[in-house]
Amino acid sequence: MTTPDLPTARLGDRSLFPDLQPRAYLNHAAVSPWSAPVQAAIAAVAADYARRAAGAIPLWIQQRARLRAAIAGLIGAEAADIALINNTTRGVTDVALCLSWRPGERVLLFQGEFPANVTPWQQAAELFDLSVEMLPLADFARSPADGLAALQVALAAGGVRLVAVSAVQFQSGLRMPLAAMADACHAVGAELFVDGIQAVGAVPLDVREAGIDYLSTGGHKWLMGCEGLGFLYVRPERLAELRPRVAGWLSHEDGLRFLLEGSGHLRYDRPIRRSADFIEGGAGNTLGCAALAAAIGLIAQLGPGAVWTHVQAYLDLLEAGLIARGFVSLRSRDPEARSCILSVLPPNPGDVLGFQRELAERGVACSTPDGLLRFSPHWPNHPDEVPFVLDAVDDALGHG
């Protein structure tokens, strides 16, 4: 039993999403629709387990190994650097719990971050007697130089163990200068943790080139998998800093021997694996793995760089049309600080939720994080959609 062969993905072609209802689906920063290959991959797992039950397990365990390799290839890592997790928060929490903290160490976060990259560090601070400090994102919004200068001032005060930041900010779409941030952290012995969920799959990102120490992401946004499956990257040099506080029965070396090789192998003293996947302590999400493998296979055909360029052309047109209609854009003027998100404020920002509902009724799907109107196209969106979106905007403005 194997997963179905993947068809060819083409930029601007939504034919692999035949069931998608909105004419312009611009909400990939929230949840991506399932493609036909993703649906087929899930169905293949379901059919195999329906036929063979436990007999299907070895095949799909092998697929997890292939999935780690595919993920690693996407972000410039090695398969041994990758652990499969159920969501971004799980990866943040695992690192927060497993780091070998010393009381009084400082953790630098950013005001305006998505809570997934804040709450676990706050909980770790209570548990391990750490100091959590919030820095403003406004410095980076002005310019990368201003943001880095402010970060360096905070680092120079001493005692910083870790800086946690999103690769792309979920509200504004601001793309953070991760390599420069990592250099600043490493210069004072600190580490960089990155929430990658608004970047990986659509924004080029090489974890080794950027010097990222840890990266966690879910698979249901720009990777276009399903909810409940993502991954954690751990830089190999940082493994020694992690304590196996979240280890489970499958975290041991040769943890399956007592089930497969007869009597005499049931032991509780086998070493915990010294690879990132030690956090995979129990049964995994087989359906989610199959879905993510299919979704990444499509993205790998295109390449995140090509996806990013394609989406920029779409957003250039959409942003210009919205500005001409009186919208205020939060998109950075610096191309290097742009992502695949365009967030705007309408001419009447007091009713953003109502405006979003008006657009939804007209076949345009978008979202409203913290009072902003956010558009987030991906590789299946074609720039030819933009006139339709702007017509829907005109209708909604006139109705309002």
Side-chain angles (χ1 to χ4, degrees), residues 212-276:
I212 294 168
D213 297 296
Y214 314 95
L215 182 142
S216 182
T217 187
H220 61 283
K221 298 184 187 288
W222 301 99
L223 285 170
M224 304 188 80
C226 64
E227 293 168 288
L229 201 286
F231 69 87
L232 173 69
Y233 160 80
V234 178
R235 186 178 180 182
E237 297 88 334
R238 299 305 185 195
L239 271 173
E241 300 292 324
L242 301 181
R243 303 291 177 261
R245 297 185 180 115
V246 299
W249 73 280
L250 282 177
S251 303
H252 293 281
E253 293 180 5
D254 298 320
L256 288 171
R257 287 190 66 186
F258 76 101
L259 295 176
L260 304 174
E261 298 183 18
S263 63
H265 296 292
L266 178 60
R267 292 170 46 185
Y268 309 106
D269 61 348
R270 298 186 189 279
I272 301 298
R273 291 193 302 279
R274 296 311 299 159
S275 55

Short mmCIF file of all heavy atoms in Angstrom, two decimals, residues 212-276:
data_model
loop_
_atom_site.label_atom_id
_atom_site.label_comp_id
_atom_site.label_asym_id
_atom_site.label_seq_id
_atom_site.Cartn_x
_atom_site.Cartn_y
_atom_site.Cartn_z
N ILE A 212 19.08 29.65 13.11
CA ILE A 212 17.97 29.42 14.04
C ILE A 212 18.28 28.22 14.92
O ILE A 212 18.75 27.18 14.45
CB ILE A 212 16.67 29.19 13.24
CG1 ILE A 212 16.28 30.48 12.50
CG2 ILE A 212 15.54 28.72 14.15
CD1 ILE A 212 15.19 30.27 11.47
N ASP A 213 18.00 28.35 16.20
CA ASP A 213 18.27 27.26 17.14
C ASP A 213 17.10 26.30 17.27
O ASP A 213 17.29 25.09 17.36
CB ASP A 213 18.62 27.85 18.52
CG ASP A 213 19.89 28.67 18.47
OD1 ASP A 213 20.95 28.10 18.18
OD2 ASP A 213 19.82 29.90 18.69
N TYR A 214 15.88 26.85 17.28
CA TYR A 214 14.67 26.03 17.39
C TYR A 214 13.60 26.66 16.49
O TYR A 214 13.48 27.88 16.44
CB TYR A 214 14.14 25.98 18.82
CG TYR A 214 15.18 25.72 19.87
CD1 TYR A 214 15.80 26.78 20.55
CD2 TYR A 214 15.56 24.42 20.20
CE1 TYR A 214 16.76 26.55 21.51
CE2 TYR A 214 16.53 24.18 21.17
CZ TYR A 214 17.13 25.26 21.82
OH TYR A 214 18.09 25.02 22.77
N LEU A 215 12.82 25.82 15.84
CA LEU A 215 11.71 26.33 15.02
C LEU A 215 10.54 25.37 15.17
O LEU A 215 10.69 24.14 15.00
CB LEU A 215 12.10 26.46 13.56
CG LEU A 215 11.02 27.03 12.64
CD1 LEU A 215 11.62 27.96 11.59
CD2 LEU A 215 10.22 25.92 11.95
N SER A 216 9.38 25.91 15.49
CA SER A 216 8.17 25.10 15.64
C SER A 216 7.10 25.62 14.70
O SER A 216 6.94 26.84 14.53
CB SER A 216 7.67 25.18 17.09
OG SER A 216 6.51 24.37 17.27
N THR A 217 6.35 24.70 14.10
CA THR A 217 5.27 25.12 13.21
C THR A 217 4.21 24.04 13.10
O THR A 217 4.50 22.85 13.22
CB THR A 217 5.80 25.46 11.80
OG1 THR A 217 4.74 26.00 11.02
CG2 THR A 217 6.35 24.24 11.11
N GLY A 218 2.97 24.47 12.91
CA GLY A 218 1.90 23.57 12.54
C GLY A 218 1.82 23.45 11.03
O GLY A 218 2.39 24.26 10.29
N GLY A 219 1.08 22.46 10.56
CA GLY A 219 1.06 22.19 9.13
C GLY A 219 -0.19 22.63 8.41
O GLY A 219 -0.33 22.36 7.21
N HIS A 220 -1.11 23.31 9.08
CA HIS A 220 -2.43 23.57 8.49
C HIS A 220 -2.57 24.95 7.85
O HIS A 220 -3.64 25.29 7.37
CB HIS A 220 -3.52 23.39 9.55
CG HIS A 220 -3.40 24.34 10.71
ND1 HIS A 220 -2.47 24.14 11.71
CD2 HIS A 220 -4.06 25.47 11.03
CE1 HIS A 220 -2.58 25.11 12.60
NE2 HIS A 220 -3.53 25.93 12.20
N LYS A 221 -1.49 25.73 7.83
CA LYS A 221 -1.56 27.04 7.19
C LYS A 221 -0.81 26.98 5.86
O LYS A 221 -1.27 26.41 4.89
CB LYS A 221 -1.03 28.12 8.14
CG LYS A 221 -1.84 28.25 9.43
CD LYS A 221 -1.33 29.38 10.29
CE LYS A 221 -2.01 29.41 11.65
NZ LYS A 221 -3.41 29.86 11.61
N TRP A 222 0.38 27.57 5.80
CA TRP A 222 1.11 27.69 4.54
C TRP A 222 1.67 26.36 4.03
O TRP A 222 1.99 26.24 2.85
CB TRP A 222 2.21 28.73 4.67
CG TRP A 222 1.66 30.07 5.05
CD1 TRP A 222 1.61 30.62 6.30
CD2 TRP A 222 1.02 31.01 4.19
NE1 TRP A 222 1.00 31.85 6.27
CE2 TRP A 222 0.63 32.12 4.97
CE3 TRP A 222 0.76 31.05 2.82
CZ2 TRP A 222 -0.01 33.24 4.45
CZ3 TRP A 222 0.11 32.16 2.29
CH2 TRP A 222 -0.25 33.23 3.10
N LEU A 223 1.79 25.37 4.89
CA LEU A 223 2.20 24.04 4.43
C LEU A 223 1.04 23.28 3.79
O LEU A 223 1.25 22.28 3.11
CB LEU A 223 2.79 23.23 5.59
CG LEU A 223 4.21 23.65 6.00
CD1 LEU A 223 4.62 22.95 7.30
CD2 LEU A 223 5.21 23.34 4.90
N MET A 224 -0.19 23.71 4.09
CA MET A 224 -1.40 23.20 3.44
C MET A 224 -1.73 21.76 3.77
O MET A 224 -2.36 21.04 2.99
CB MET A 224 -1.33 23.41 1.91
CG MET A 224 -1.09 24.84 1.51
SD MET A 224 -1.22 25.17 -0.25
CE MET A 224 -3.00 25.27 -0.41
N GLY A 225 -1.28 21.32 4.97
CA GLY A 225 -1.71 20.03 5.48
C GLY A 225 -2.98 20.19 6.28
O GLY A 225 -3.80 21.07 6.02
N CYS A 226 -3.15 19.33 7.29
CA CYS A 226 -4.36 19.42 8.11
C CYS A 226 -3.97 19.75 9.55
O CYS A 226 -2.82 19.62 9.96
CB CYS A 226 -5.17 18.14 8.05
SG CYS A 226 -4.34 16.68 8.71
N GLU A 227 -4.95 20.18 10.32
CA GLU A 227 -4.71 20.48 11.72
C GLU A 227 -4.30 19.22 12.47
O GLU A 227 -4.75 18.12 12.16
CB GLU A 227 -5.98 21.08 12.35
CG GLU A 227 -6.35 22.44 11.79
CD GLU A 227 -7.74 22.87 12.19
OE1 GLU A 227 -8.70 22.27 11.66
OE2 GLU A 227 -7.86 23.77 13.03
N GLY A 228 -3.43 19.40 13.45
CA GLY A 228 -3.02 18.27 14.28
C GLY A 228 -1.69 17.65 13.91
O GLY A 228 -1.29 16.64 14.49
N LEU A 229 -0.94 18.25 12.97
CA LEU A 229 0.38 17.72 12.63
C LEU A 229 1.27 18.86 12.17
O LEU A 229 0.92 19.62 11.26
CB LEU A 229 0.27 16.66 11.53
CG LEU A 229 1.42 15.65 11.38
CD1 LEU A 229 2.67 16.27 10.74
CD2 LEU A 229 1.81 15.03 12.73
N GLY A 230 2.42 18.99 12.80
CA GLY A 230 3.43 19.96 12.43
C GLY A 230 4.79 19.40 12.76
O GLY A 230 4.97 18.19 12.88
N PHE A 231 5.77 20.28 12.94
CA PHE A 231 7.11 19.77 13.27
C PHE A 231 7.88 20.77 14.11
O PHE A 231 7.60 21.97 14.12
CB PHE A 231 7.90 19.40 12.00
CG PHE A 231 8.32 20.59 11.16
CD1 PHE A 231 9.50 21.27 11.41
CD2 PHE A 231 7.54 21.01 10.09
CE1 PHE A 231 9.90 22.35 10.63
CE2 PHE A 231 7.93 22.07 9.30
CZ PHE A 231 9.11 22.75 9.57
N LEU A 232 8.87 20.23 14.80
CA LEU A 232 9.84 21.02 15.57
C LEU A 232 11.22 20.75 15.02
O LEU A 232 11.61 19.58 14.84
CB LEU A 232 9.79 20.63 17.05
CG LEU A 232 10.87 21.24 17.95
CD1 LEU A 232 10.65 22.74 18.11
CD2 LEU A 232 10.89 20.55 19.31
N TYR A 233 11.96 21.80 14.74
CA TYR A 233 13.37 21.69 14.35
C TYR A 233 14.22 22.07 15.55
O TYR A 233 13.95 23.08 16.23
CB TYR A 233 13.68 22.62 13.18
CG TYR A 233 15.15 22.95 13.04
CD1 TYR A 233 16.03 22.06 12.43
CD2 TYR A 233 15.68 24.14 13.55
CE1 TYR A 233 17.39 22.35 12.32
CE2 TYR A 233 17.03 24.44 13.43
CZ TYR A 233 17.88 23.55 12.82
OH TYR A 233 19.23 23.84 12.72
N VAL A 234 15.25 21.27 15.80
CA VAL A 234 16.23 21.57 16.84
C VAL A 234 17.62 21.54 16.21
O VAL A 234 18.02 20.52 15.62
CB VAL A 234 16.17 20.55 18.01
CG1 VAL A 234 17.24 20.88 19.05
CG2 VAL A 234 14.79 20.55 18.65
N ARG A 235 18.32 22.64 16.30
CA ARG A 235 19.69 22.70 15.80
C ARG A 235 20.52 21.64 16.54
O ARG A 235 20.48 21.56 17.77
CB ARG A 235 20.25 24.08 16.04
CG ARG A 235 21.61 24.35 15.45
CD ARG A 235 22.02 25.79 15.75
NE ARG A 235 23.33 26.11 15.21
CZ ARG A 235 23.92 27.28 15.36
NH1 ARG A 235 23.32 28.24 16.05
NH2 ARG A 235 25.12 27.49 14.83
N PRO A 236 21.28 20.80 15.83
CA PRO A 236 21.98 19.70 16.49
C PRO A 236 22.86 20.14 17.66
O PRO A 236 22.95 19.44 18.67
CB PRO A 236 22.82 19.10 15.36
CG PRO A 236 22.12 19.47 14.11
CD PRO A 236 21.49 20.81 14.36
N GLU A 237 23.48 21.31 17.53
CA GLU A 237 24.35 21.80 18.60
C GLU A 237 23.58 22.13 19.88
O GLU A 237 24.19 22.30 20.94
CB GLU A 237 25.09 23.06 18.13
CG GLU A 237 26.04 22.83 16.96
CD GLU A 237 25.38 22.99 15.61
OE1 GLU A 237 24.15 22.78 15.50
OE2 GLU A 237 26.10 23.31 14.64
N ARG A 238 22.25 22.22 19.78
CA ARG A 238 21.44 22.57 20.96
C ARG A 238 20.84 21.36 21.65
O ARG A 238 20.22 21.51 22.72
CB ARG A 238 20.32 23.53 20.55
CG ARG A 238 20.79 24.85 19.96
CD ARG A 238 21.75 25.58 20.88
NE ARG A 238 22.09 26.89 20.35
CZ ARG A 238 23.12 27.61 20.80
NH1 ARG A 238 23.90 27.14 21.76
NH2 ARG A 238 23.38 28.80 20.27
N LEU A 239 20.98 20.19 21.09
CA LEU A 239 20.37 19.01 21.71
C LEU A 239 20.88 18.79 23.13
O LEU A 239 20.11 18.38 24.02
CB LEU A 239 20.65 17.77 20.87
CG LEU A 239 19.64 17.45 19.77
CD1 LEU A 239 20.15 16.29 18.92
CD2 LEU A 239 18.29 17.11 20.38
N ALA A 240 22.14 19.07 23.36
CA ALA A 240 22.71 18.86 24.69
C ALA A 240 22.09 19.77 25.74
O ALA A 240 22.18 19.51 26.94
CB ALA A 240 24.22 19.08 24.66
N GLU A 241 21.43 20.86 25.27
CA GLU A 241 20.79 21.79 26.20
C GLU A 241 19.41 21.31 26.66
O GLU A 241 18.83 21.90 27.57
CB GLU A 241 20.63 23.17 25.53
CG GLU A 241 21.94 23.81 25.11
CD GLU A 241 22.78 24.20 26.31
OE1 GLU A 241 22.20 24.61 27.33
OE2 GLU A 241 24.02 24.08 26.23
N LEU A 242 18.88 20.27 26.01
CA LEU A 242 17.53 19.81 26.30
C LEU A 242 17.54 18.61 27.24
O LEU A 242 18.29 17.66 27.05
CB LEU A 242 16.81 19.44 25.00
CG LEU A 242 16.67 20.56 23.96
CD1 LEU A 242 15.92 20.05 22.73
CD2 LEU A 242 15.97 21.77 24.55
N ARG A 243 16.70 18.67 28.24
CA ARG A 243 16.50 17.56 29.17
C ARG A 243 15.22 16.83 28.76
O ARG A 243 14.23 17.48 28.42
CB ARG A 243 16.38 18.06 30.60
CG ARG A 243 17.58 18.87 31.07
CD ARG A 243 18.82 17.98 31.23
NE ARG A 243 19.99 18.76 31.60
CZ ARG A 243 20.92 19.16 30.77
NH1 ARG A 243 20.82 18.87 29.47
NH2 ARG A 243 21.96 19.85 31.18
N PRO A 244 15.18 15.51 28.83
CA PRO A 244 14.02 14.76 28.32
C PRO A 244 12.82 14.78 29.27
O PRO A 244 12.28 13.75 29.66
CB PRO A 244 14.58 13.35 28.15
CG PRO A 244 15.65 13.24 29.18
CD PRO A 244 16.28 14.61 29.25
N ARG A 245 12.37 15.97 29.61
CA ARG A 245 11.28 16.09 30.58
C ARG A 245 9.92 15.73 30.00
O ARG A 245 8.96 15.57 30.74
CB ARG A 245 11.25 17.52 31.14
CG ARG A 245 12.51 17.90 31.91
CD ARG A 245 12.38 19.29 32.54
NE ARG A 245 13.59 19.64 33.28
CZ ARG A 245 14.42 20.63 32.97
NH1 ARG A 245 14.17 21.38 31.90
NH2 ARG A 245 15.48 20.87 33.70
N VAL A 246 9.81 15.64 28.68
CA VAL A 246 8.55 15.26 28.05
C VAL A 246 8.65 13.89 27.39
O VAL A 246 7.80 13.53 26.56
CB VAL A 246 8.10 16.32 27.03
CG1 VAL A 246 7.88 17.67 27.69
CG2 VAL A 246 9.10 16.45 25.88
N ALA A 247 9.67 13.13 27.71
CA ALA A 247 9.88 11.83 27.07
C ALA A 247 8.76 10.85 27.44
O ALA A 247 8.20 10.90 28.53
CB ALA A 247 11.24 11.25 27.48
N GLY A 248 8.46 9.96 26.52
CA GLY A 248 7.49 8.89 26.73
C GLY A 248 8.06 7.56 26.30
O GLY A 248 9.27 7.44 26.01
N TRP A 249 7.22 6.55 26.21
CA TRP A 249 7.73 5.20 25.98
C TRP A 249 8.40 5.05 24.62
O TRP A 249 9.33 4.25 24.47
CB TRP A 249 6.61 4.17 26.15
CG TRP A 249 5.58 4.12 25.06
CD1 TRP A 249 4.53 4.96 24.89
CD2 TRP A 249 5.51 3.17 24.00
NE1 TRP A 249 3.79 4.60 23.79
CE2 TRP A 249 4.36 3.49 23.23
CE3 TRP A 249 6.27 2.07 23.63
CZ2 TRP A 249 3.98 2.76 22.10
CZ3 TRP A 249 5.89 1.33 22.51
CH2 TRP A 249 4.77 1.69 21.76
N LEU A 250 7.99 5.83 23.63
CA LEU A 250 8.63 5.74 22.31
C LEU A 250 9.85 6.65 22.18
O LEU A 250 10.42 6.76 21.11
CB LEU A 250 7.62 6.07 21.22
CG LEU A 250 6.65 4.94 20.86
CD1 LEU A 250 5.65 5.40 19.83
CD2 LEU A 250 7.40 3.71 20.36
N SER A 251 10.24 7.31 23.27
CA SER A 251 11.43 8.15 23.24
C SER A 251 12.71 7.36 23.45
O SER A 251 13.80 7.87 23.21
CB SER A 251 11.34 9.23 24.34
OG SER A 251 10.18 10.00 24.20
N HIS A 252 12.59 6.11 23.88
CA HIS A 252 13.77 5.29 24.16
C HIS A 252 14.41 4.78 22.88
O HIS A 252 13.74 4.58 21.86
CB HIS A 252 13.40 4.08 25.02
CG HIS A 252 12.95 4.41 26.40
ND1 HIS A 252 13.83 4.71 27.41
CD2 HIS A 252 11.71 4.49 26.94
CE1 HIS A 252 13.16 4.95 28.52
NE2 HIS A 252 11.85 4.83 28.26
N GLU A 253 15.70 4.55 22.93
CA GLU A 253 16.37 3.81 21.87
C GLU A 253 15.81 2.38 21.85
O GLU A 253 15.61 1.77 22.90
CB GLU A 253 17.88 3.79 22.09
CG GLU A 253 18.54 5.16 21.96
CD GLU A 253 20.03 5.09 22.18
OE1 GLU A 253 20.57 3.97 22.36
OE2 GLU A 253 20.68 6.16 22.20
N ASP A 254 15.55 1.86 20.67
CA ASP A 254 14.99 0.51 20.51
C ASP A 254 13.72 0.34 21.34
O ASP A 254 13.48 -0.72 21.93
CB ASP A 254 16.02 -0.56 20.90
CG ASP A 254 17.26 -0.53 20.04
OD1 ASP A 254 17.11 -0.33 18.82
OD2 ASP A 254 18.37 -0.68 20.57
N GLY A 255 12.89 1.37 21.37
CA GLY A 255 11.71 1.34 22.22
C GLY A 255 10.66 0.33 21.82
O GLY A 255 9.79 0.00 22.64
N LEU A 256 10.73 -0.19 20.61
CA LEU A 256 9.73 -1.15 20.14
C LEU A 256 10.18 -2.60 20.25
O LEU A 256 9.41 -3.51 19.94
CB LEU A 256 9.39 -0.85 18.67
CG LEU A 256 8.55 0.41 18.40
CD1 LEU A 256 8.48 0.67 16.90
CD2 LEU A 256 7.15 0.27 18.98
N ARG A 257 11.40 -2.84 20.71
CA ARG A 257 11.93 -4.21 20.69
C ARG A 257 11.06 -5.20 21.46
O ARG A 257 10.85 -6.33 21.02
CB ARG A 257 13.35 -4.25 21.26
CG ARG A 257 14.39 -3.65 20.34
CD ARG A 257 15.79 -3.93 20.86
NE ARG A 257 16.13 -5.35 20.83
CZ ARG A 257 17.24 -5.88 21.33
NH1 ARG A 257 18.14 -5.08 21.90
NH2 ARG A 257 17.48 -7.17 21.25
N PHE A 258 10.52 -4.77 22.60
CA PHE A 258 9.76 -5.71 23.43
C PHE A 258 8.44 -6.11 22.77
O PHE A 258 7.83 -7.11 23.17
CB PHE A 258 9.49 -5.11 24.82
CG PHE A 258 8.42 -4.06 24.85
CD1 PHE A 258 7.14 -4.36 25.31
CD2 PHE A 258 8.68 -2.76 24.45
CE1 PHE A 258 6.15 -3.39 25.35
CE2 PHE A 258 7.71 -1.79 24.50
CZ PHE A 258 6.43 -2.10 24.95
N LEU A 259 8.02 -5.39 21.73
CA LEU A 259 6.81 -5.75 21.00
C LEU A 259 7.08 -6.58 19.76
O LEU A 259 6.17 -7.21 19.22
CB LEU A 259 6.06 -4.48 20.59
CG LEU A 259 5.50 -3.62 21.72
CD1 LEU A 259 4.87 -2.35 21.15
CD2 LEU A 259 4.47 -4.40 22.54
N LEU A 260 8.34 -6.58 19.30
CA LEU A 260 8.64 -7.17 17.99
C LEU A 260 9.62 -8.34 18.03
O LEU A 260 9.70 -9.09 17.06
CB LEU A 260 9.21 -6.08 17.06
CG LEU A 260 8.34 -4.84 16.84
CD1 LEU A 260 9.10 -3.81 16.02
CD2 LEU A 260 7.03 -5.21 16.17
N GLU A 261 10.35 -8.50 19.12
CA GLU A 261 11.47 -9.46 19.10
C GLU A 261 11.37 -10.53 20.18
O GLU A 261 12.38 -11.07 20.61
CB GLU A 261 12.79 -8.70 19.24
CG GLU A 261 13.04 -7.73 18.10
CD GLU A 261 14.39 -7.03 18.22
OE1 GLU A 261 15.25 -7.53 18.97
OE2 GLU A 261 14.58 -5.99 17.57
N GLY A 262 10.17 -10.83 20.60
CA GLY A 262 10.02 -11.92 21.56
C GLY A 262 10.25 -11.49 23.00
O GLY A 262 10.32 -10.30 23.32
N SER A 263 10.41 -12.46 23.89
CA SER A 263 10.48 -12.20 25.33
C SER A 263 11.87 -11.70 25.73
O SER A 263 12.85 -11.85 25.01
CB SER A 263 10.15 -13.46 26.12
OG SER A 263 11.12 -14.47 25.85
N GLY A 264 11.91 -11.08 26.90
CA GLY A 264 13.18 -10.66 27.48
C GLY A 264 13.63 -9.26 27.10
O GLY A 264 14.75 -8.86 27.46
N HIS A 265 12.81 -8.51 26.39
CA HIS A 265 13.23 -7.18 25.93
C HIS A 265 12.47 -6.04 26.61
O HIS A 265 12.70 -4.88 26.28
CB HIS A 265 13.06 -7.06 24.42
CG HIS A 265 13.93 -7.99 23.64
ND1 HIS A 265 15.32 -7.87 23.60
CD2 HIS A 265 13.62 -9.08 22.89
CE1 HIS A 265 15.81 -8.82 22.84
NE2 HIS A 265 14.81 -9.58 22.40
N LEU A 266 11.57 -6.37 27.54
CA LEU A 266 10.84 -5.32 28.24
C LEU A 266 11.73 -4.71 29.30
O LEU A 266 12.03 -5.32 30.32
CB LEU A 266 9.57 -5.89 28.87
CG LEU A 266 8.72 -4.90 29.68
CD1 LEU A 266 8.27 -3.75 28.79
CD2 LEU A 266 7.54 -5.60 30.31
N ARG A 267 12.18 -3.48 29.04
CA ARG A 267 13.06 -2.76 29.97
C ARG A 267 12.63 -1.30 30.05
O ARG A 267 11.99 -0.78 29.15
CB ARG A 267 14.51 -2.82 29.46
CG ARG A 267 15.15 -4.20 29.50
CD ARG A 267 16.47 -4.23 28.76
NE ARG A 267 17.33 -3.10 29.09
CZ ARG A 267 18.50 -2.88 28.48
NH1 ARG A 267 18.92 -3.70 27.53
NH2 ARG A 267 19.25 -1.83 28.83
N TYR A 268 13.02 -0.67 31.17
CA TYR A 268 12.68 0.74 31.37
C TYR A 268 13.92 1.62 31.47
O TYR A 268 13.81 2.81 31.75
CB TYR A 268 11.86 0.89 32.66
CG TYR A 268 10.68 -0.05 32.72
CD1 TYR A 268 10.69 -1.16 33.55
CD2 TYR A 268 9.56 0.17 31.93
CE1 TYR A 268 9.60 -2.03 33.60
CE2 TYR A 268 8.48 -0.68 31.96
CZ TYR A 268 8.50 -1.79 32.81
OH TYR A 268 7.43 -2.64 32.85
N ASP A 269 15.09 1.01 31.19
CA ASP A 269 16.34 1.75 31.37
C ASP A 269 17.06 2.03 30.04
O ASP A 269 18.22 2.42 30.03
CB ASP A 269 17.28 0.99 32.31
CG ASP A 269 17.66 -0.40 31.78
OD1 ASP A 269 17.01 -0.87 30.81
OD2 ASP A 269 18.58 -1.01 32.35
N ARG A 270 16.37 1.81 28.93
CA ARG A 270 17.01 2.12 27.65
C ARG A 270 17.23 3.64 27.56
O ARG A 270 16.38 4.42 27.98
CB ARG A 270 16.16 1.64 26.48
CG ARG A 270 15.95 0.13 26.45
CD ARG A 270 15.23 -0.28 25.17
NE ARG A 270 14.84 -1.68 25.22
CZ ARG A 270 15.65 -2.70 24.95
NH1 ARG A 270 16.91 -2.46 24.62
NH2 ARG A 270 15.22 -3.94 25.02
N PRO A 271 18.34 4.07 27.00
CA PRO A 271 18.60 5.50 26.92
C PRO A 271 17.54 6.23 26.09
O PRO A 271 16.96 5.67 25.17
CB PRO A 271 19.97 5.58 26.23
CG PRO A 271 20.57 4.22 26.40
CD PRO A 271 19.43 3.26 26.43
N ILE A 272 17.32 7.47 26.44
CA ILE A 272 16.47 8.33 25.62
C ILE A 272 17.27 8.76 24.39
O ILE A 272 18.45 9.09 24.47
CB ILE A 272 16.03 9.58 26.41
CG1 ILE A 272 15.27 9.16 27.67
CG2 ILE A 272 15.17 10.50 25.54
CD1 ILE A 272 14.00 8.40 27.42
N ARG A 273 16.63 8.73 23.22
CA ARG A 273 17.31 9.10 21.98
C ARG A 273 17.86 10.51 22.06
O ARG A 273 17.20 11.42 22.56
CB ARG A 273 16.36 8.99 20.78
CG ARG A 273 15.97 7.59 20.42
CD ARG A 273 15.30 7.58 19.05
NE ARG A 273 14.12 8.44 18.99
CZ ARG A 273 12.92 8.11 19.45
NH1 ARG A 273 12.75 6.93 20.02
NH2 ARG A 273 11.91 8.96 19.35
N ARG A 274 19.06 10.71 21.55
CA ARG A 274 19.65 12.05 21.47
C ARG A 274 19.46 12.61 20.08
O ARG A 274 20.40 12.94 19.36
CB ARG A 274 21.13 12.01 21.86
CG ARG A 274 21.38 11.60 23.28
CD ARG A 274 20.51 12.37 24.26
NE ARG A 274 20.77 13.82 24.22
CZ ARG A 274 19.89 14.72 24.65
NH1 ARG A 274 18.71 14.35 25.11
NH2 ARG A 274 20.20 16.00 24.61
N SER A 275 18.21 12.70 19.68
CA SER A 275 17.81 13.36 18.44
C SER A 275 16.51 14.08 18.73
O SER A 275 15.84 13.81 19.74
CB SER A 275 17.64 12.35 17.29
OG SER A 275 16.72 11.33 17.64
N ALA A 276 16.15 15.00 17.85
CA ALA A 276 14.99 15.86 18.12
C ALA A 276 13.72 15.06 18.35
O ALA A 276 12.85 15.48 19.12
CB ALA A 276 14.80 16.84 16.98
#
